[in-house]
């Protein structure tokens, strides 16, 4: 305990008399074997959520979406590519809402399952409408 918190706890003239100052505990990331990767955790009332660092996927999802847009553009034309983008945008909004609701409920979500399903469904709808 620091000297300042002892003074606060023991000073009879302090307005915070009776309250106990608590020192924060700093949690360091635990090393997982590789010197460059750390396992970061978020603690909540419902348990421990594991968190994948934001740079782990990079721009892979955006690159795949853009590649599928170009496939639709080359195979079916501009209108079909715009349709794919439209259906993918609706799926992404629904996926973001689903992920937020799951995280609020304390359920960790793998975003790649939703993204993969969104790509497949958007591509199938685009192919069906373009044919």
């Amino acid at each position: 305990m620091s000297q300042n918190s002892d003074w606060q706890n023991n000073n009879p003239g302090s307005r915070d008399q009776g309250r106990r100052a608590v020192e924060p505990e700093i949690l360091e990331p635990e090393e997982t074997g590789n010197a460059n990767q750390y396992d970061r955790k978020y603690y909540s009332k419902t348990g421990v959520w594991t968190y994948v660092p934001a740079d782990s996927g990079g721009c892979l999802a955006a690159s795949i979406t853009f590649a599928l847009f170009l496939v639709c553009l080359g195979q079916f034309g501009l209108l079909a590519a715009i349709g794919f983008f439209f259906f993918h945008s609706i799926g992404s909004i629904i996926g973001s809402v689903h992920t937020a609701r799951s995280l609020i409920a304390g359920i960790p979500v793998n975003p790649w399952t939703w993204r993969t399903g969104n790509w497949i469904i958007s591509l199938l709808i685009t192919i069906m409408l373009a044919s």
Side-chain angles (χ1 to χ4, degrees):
M1 212 180 276
S2 70
Q3 182 181 11
N4 188 22
S5 63
D6 285 338
W7 180 83
Q8 261 185 336
N9 292 331
N10 298 325
N11 186 7
S14 173
R15 70 173 187 195
D16 293 331
Q17 186 175 5
R19 291 193 211 169
R20 180 152 176 83
V22 179
E23 299 262 342
E25 180 183 356
I26 299 173
L27 300 174
E28 295 292 328
E30 300 170 357
E31 194 167 340
T32 59
N34 189 349
N36 295 329
Q37 295 179 348
Y38 292 97
D39 183 22
R40 300 179 188 165
K41 295 178 181 171
Y42 285 141
Y43 295 90
S44 71
K45 293 179 182 177
T46 58
V48 178
W49 297 342
T50 56
Y51 170 73
V52 178
D55 59 346
S56 67
C59 59
L60 182 62
S63 299
I64 292 172
T65 303
F66 185 66
L68 290 173
F69 175 80
L70 291 177
V71 166
C72 288
L73 181 67
Q75 291 292 319
F76 306 111
L78 181 62
L79 190 59
I82 292 172
F84 171 78
F85 180 73
F86 175 76
F87 296 130
H88 179 72
S89 298
I90 291 174
S92 295
I93 291 169
I94 294 171
S96 297
V97 170
H98 170 70
T99 301
R101 294 178 96 190
S102 297
L103 288 177
I104 289 171
I107 303 167
V109 178
N110 182 2
W112 287 102
T113 54
W114 188 271
R115 288 176 186 162
T116 305
N118 188 14
W119 288 322
I120 292 171
I121 290 171
S122 299
L123 193 61
L124 288 176
I125 291 173
T126 303
I127 290 171
M128 182 181 69
L129 293 175
S131 297

